[in-house]
Amino acid sequence: PASRAYSLVDSSQVSTFLISILLIVYGSFRSLNMDFENQDKEKDNSSATGSFNGNSTNNSIQTIDSTQALFLPIGASVSLLVMFFFFDSVQVVFTICTAVLATIAFAFLLLPMCQYLTRPCSPQNKISFGCCGRFTAAELLSFSLSVMLVLIWVLTGHWLLMDALAMGLCVAMIAFVRLPSLKVSCLLLSGLLIYDVFWVFFSAYIFNSNVMVKVATQPADNPLDVLSRKLHLGPNVGRDVPRLSLPGKLVFPSSTGSHFSMLGIGDIVMPGLLLCFVLRYDNYKKQANSDSCGAPGPGNISGRMQKVSYFHCTLIGYFVGLLTATVASRIHRAAQPALLYLVPFTLLPLLTMAYLKGDLRRMWSEPFHSKSSSSRFLEV
């Protein structure tokens, strides 16, 4: 059985495993680091004004509530149908919007590296660009590199550049979108599981085609080619640019080059939001316990169980779910809805551990805004 399972996973799928896990871990820690920076800014502001508002939030962070969690699968379904029926009409606009978002997201991904490179030779003072705003040298460098990468991707259409842009989108979404509670997490992931299963398994019976697979794999016209045709620049101008596979997925070629392994960024981002939530909760609980002089957990739970973090438990579940989805796709030789495997393997161990450790009730309903908590932990 072990050799059989190994034969069902090739090098492209191993690359997908490693990259998706690294993106989730990196995005989660970037999110936690943003929380620390916001807390430090609030402390500085409170020391200057003599007051502290524990309920203030960063405007750039979007928190998903219960209503949004319920309607997100419906909105995703509508968008999928629009792309399925009207792709030829909206492909240029969609490509341009995706390129702009990917540019901003990849600049966010490169920012820590650029800050490290520019720190010795450049002060962190912001440079004014009039109505465009004020930016540091590191922000300008990361944005310039991101624009360069997007332009090269448009000219070449290489899968590796598309993957880089998709990685930036994954990290930015995990870092800037938050799940406030376990209840919202369960609503969102359960709804997306139904969405994924329906559009992969049952859409062919209604639309005579697998809607999810067709939209994910359909290439778009290159904007340079469209522009040359609109402006009548001649038959040789812009005609040699390739069609673009949009960065809504990660793709890796197999060792033989006969096929590509593909994983949608939604299958990384949505479980990644859950991983980000439990990482923040682990840190929140650790700080709360240190303030209460390390109060022990429930008496029926061993000390070793208390030391197991929710983040590690859920991350292992994500890996096992991704491995199961990959093996299932190779056995059935057909596309599989990854969330069908990822959601149970992440949510069920998390719910079980939270129940055993006595944290389920607190995690279920906005644990970071508990009235009994110290104000320094309210902002996450």
Side-chain angles (χ1 to χ4, degrees), residues 215-339:
V215 171
T217 58
Q218 190 167 2
D221 289 339
N222 196 300
L224 297 180
D225 185 23
V226 176
L227 184 64
S228 67
R229 284 191 273 110
K230 293 291 184 182
L231 299 179
H232 306 287
L233 297 179
N236 296 324
V237 179
R239 294 293 197 269
D240 56 346
V241 292
R243 300 191 75 191
L244 298 176
S245 183
L246 300 182
K249 54 191 174 294
L250 292 179
V251 296
F252 289 94
S254 63
S255 57
T256 60
S258 58
H259 67 277
F260 279 79
S261 174
M262 183 177 67
L263 182 67
I265 63 172
D267 300 324
I268 302 174
V269 171
M270 296 308 165
L273 295 180
L274 179 66
L275 268 294
C276 180
F277 166 77
V278 296
L279 178 65
R280 289 161 49 223
Y281 183 80
D282 283 333
N283 178 73
Y284 172 83
K285 186 179 179 182
K286 181 179 179 181
Q287 291 179 328
N289 287 341
S290 64
D291 271 11
S292 60
C293 300
N300 60 332
I301 302 299
S302 65
R304 181 175 299 179
M305 182 68 168
Q306 287 292 339
K307 292 180 181 180
V308 177
S309 70
Y310 293 110
F311 181 77
H312 292 145
C313 173
T314 312
L315 185 62
I316 293 172
Y318 177 82
F319 175 80
V320 175
L322 193 59
L323 179 62
T324 306
T326 302
V327 172
S329 67
R330 295 297 294 272
I331 291 176
H332 298 288
R333 299 186 181 276
Q336 295 289 309
L339 292 180

Side-chain angles (χ1 to χ4, degrees), residues 153 156-164 245 249-253 260:
W153 168 67
T156 63
H158 198 278
W159 65 268
L160 195 57
L161 301 178
M162 183 196 70
D163 279 0
S245 183
K249 54 191 174 294
L250 292 179
V251 296
F252 289 94
F260 279 79

Side-chain angles (χ1 to χ4, degrees), residues 113-124:
M113 181 191 70
C114 294
Q115 289 174 336
Y116 177 79
L117 293 176
T118 59
R119 186 178 293 115
C121 56
S122 174
Q124 296 301 311

